[in-house]
Amino acid sequence: MVDVYGGLWFENLVAQDQHFVLQCVLFERGIIQGIQMRVAHSSYTPGVTTDDLPGIVARLPTGMPVFVHFGAENCGVDFAERFDETGSYAIRGRPLDRSWAEWCAETIVWGKCVARAAVRPHGIPMGVVHPGYGQYHDDGEARRRMMDALGGLDDGSCLAVENVPPVVKREWYEAVIGARTSWSRDMFWGFGGTPEDMEMLLVALGSGWRCLIDFTHVAVAVNQYTVLAKESPTCSVLDWFDRSIAAYLALPHWPICHFSGIPPTLIDVSDYMDAPAPAPIRDALKTMEIVCLEIPFRQWSAERIIADFRARYLDARGPV
C-alpha cells in the first residue's frame, strides 16, 4: 500500500496551532501515515535552539514519520542565487548580515537538525530541496554556483532534488496570484524542470544523487511547453504526460514523490485535486512508497480530498 503524507510548517509545530492539530488528528485516525514538514531558516522560529528540538518534535504523535522539505525559493533559498520569490532573503537574510550563500546553507543545516530529532521514514532521505534557478536555461554561472553549493552540503544521501516547473514568468505568476512582484527579471529558469535538465543535474552532482518527482510540476511543465510552442516553433514540446513521466521515472529517483492535483495553469497551483486523473500519473504514483500531498489542508475538506485521492489514483484500475 502507498502511504500518504500530510503537510505542515515547522512554525506550525512550534506554535501547536490548529493546522498542527489537524495533521495529528488525520494521522491518529489513519487518514495519513506521516508528514512532510517544511523547515525554513532558523530565523523563522526565533528563540528555538537545537537543544529545544527533541521536546518540540515530541509533540508529534508517537511514531509519526517526518520528511523535511527544506525551505525553497519562497523562503529565500536559491542555491544559484538568482530567484528570491517573495523577497524573504532580502527581508530576513540581509539584516542578519548573511550572504545569500550563507543563508541557503544555514537553512539546510537547520533543517537537518530538525530531521535528526524526528522519526525518519525507512529508506528515504532526510528531505528534499529545489535545485535552483537561472536567468535562462544555459546560465552557466548560476548552474555552477548551484552545483558547488549542493555538492558542499551533501553527497545525495540526505537530500533529494525536486523537479520544479521550468519556466517562471512574471506575467503568469501575477495573473494567478493577483499581486505584483518585485523580481529582478521577468523570467527565470528552474533547473531540473525537464527530464533532460534533471538528468544533466544528477550526472553533474554524482552517482549518489536521486531526484524526487513532483507530478503536479510535470503537469505544469506540459502546460508551459504547450503554450510556449505556439509562441516559438523552435521550443521543444513535452506534450504527453506519458513521455515526460516515463523520462523522469527512468532517472535515479527516490520512492517518495509530491502531488497536488492537475492544474490548468502555467504555475504551480494546489487546488485541483478534483481534476480528472490521467492514467500515466495514476500508474506512476502506484510505483511509489510515499506520496506527499501538497494541498491546502482544511478541517472541513481534508479527509474527503484524501479519500477521493486514494480512490481515484491509488485504488482505481480503469478510467476515472
Side-chain angles (χ1 to χ4, degrees):
M1 184 174 107
V2 179
D3 286 346
V4 173
Y5 279 23
L8 50 74
W9 294 353
F10 184 58
E11 299 96 294
N12 301 131
L13 173 57
V14 171
Q16 299 181 73
D17 59 15
Q18 290 183 340
H19 189 74
F20 161 74
V21 172
L22 172 61
Q23 299 298 316
C24 293
V25 169
L26 293 174
F27 178 77
E28 289 165 348
R29 295 182 59 190
I31 296 166
I32 60 174
Q33 289 71 52
I35 202 81
Q36 176 176 245
M37 184 161 61
R38 189 211 72 180
V39 182
H41 191 273
S42 58
S43 62
Y44 278 64
T45 48
V48 176
T49 70
T50 53
D51 291 339
D52 300 321
L53 293 178
I56 291 173
V57 169
R59 299 168 183 171
L60 293 167
T62 301
M64 174 186 272
V66 175
F67 181 69
V68 168
H69 195 313
F70 296 90
E73 60 277 5
N74 61 353
C75 300
V77 174
D78 176 15
F79 301 107
E81 300 178 45
R82 296 291 196 217
F83 185 38
D84 184 7
E85 181 182 357
T86 59
S88 296
Y89 165 66
I91 295 168
R92 293 171 176 266
R94 287 193 184 121
L96 292 175
D97 197 27
R98 300 294 197 274
S99 71
W100 204 343
E102 289 171 334
W103 170 266
C104 296
E106 288 177 0
T107 299
I108 302 304
V109 170
W110 177 241
K112 285 183 175 181
C113 289
V114 175
R116 290 189 187 101
V119 175
R120 179 172 165 183
H122 178 71
I124 300 296
M126 283 184 175
V128 62
V129 295
H130 291 180
Y133 290 83
Q135 294 179 343
Y136 35 80
H137 176 266
D138 54 352
D139 184 346
E141 173 60 25
R143 192 179 289 269
R144 180 197 62 76
R145 198 175 288 160
M146 174 186 68
M147 293 297 183
D148 288 348
L150 287 172
L153 287 168
D154 200 51
D155 61 1
S157 60
C158 294
L159 302 180
V161 288
E162 176 186 347
N163 61 297
V164 295
V167 181
V168 181
K169 293 186 75 171
R170 185 195 303 271
E171 62 181 284
W172 295 350
Y173 186 93
E174 291 181 347
V176 172
I177 303 301
R180 300 287 294 174
T181 67
S182 58
W183 299 349
S184 60
R185 292 174 53 84
D186 290 331
M187 190 169 79
F188 296 89
W189 174 267
F191 292 121
T194 68
E196 297 81 5
D197 202 13
M198 179 61 79
E199 181 178 24
M200 184 164 57
L201 188 156
L202 293 175
V203 168
L205 284 172
S207 59
W209 287 81
R210 300 192 227 174
C211 65
L212 177 149
I213 305 170
D214 186 311
F215 290 100
T216 295
H217 290 172
V218 174
V220 173
V222 171
N223 296 345
Q224 291 183 351
Y225 279 106
T226 302
V227 168
L228 292 174
K230 296 176 182 177
E231 300 175 2
S232 171
T234 62
C235 184
S236 62
V237 179
L238 297 176
D239 56 356
W240 297 100
F241 280 125
D242 51 358
R243 178 188 163 195
S244 51
I245 289 171
Y248 271 113
L249 290 174
L251 297 176
H253 64 277
W254 293 99
I256 182 171
C257 67
H258 290 170
F259 186 65
S260 52
I262 307 295
T265 55
L266 300 174
I267 72 168
D268 184 21
V269 177
S270 302
D271 248 336
Y272 288 89
M273 289 293 287
D274 292 333
I281 290 185
R282 293 203 327 262
D283 294 342
L285 289 174
K286 292 174 185 178
T287 70
M288 297 290 161
E289 294 177 9
I290 300 169
V291 179
C292 299
L293 292 183
E294 297 189 320
I295 61 175
F297 284 91
R298 305 181 178 102
Q299 287 186 336
W300 60 89
S301 62
E303 185 172 349
R304 178 198 65 79
I305 290 172
I306 296 169
D308 180 68
F309 165 71
R310 279 201 170 278
R312 295 196 301 128
Y313 280 92
L314 302 181
D315 300 333
R317 299 186 180 276
V320 293

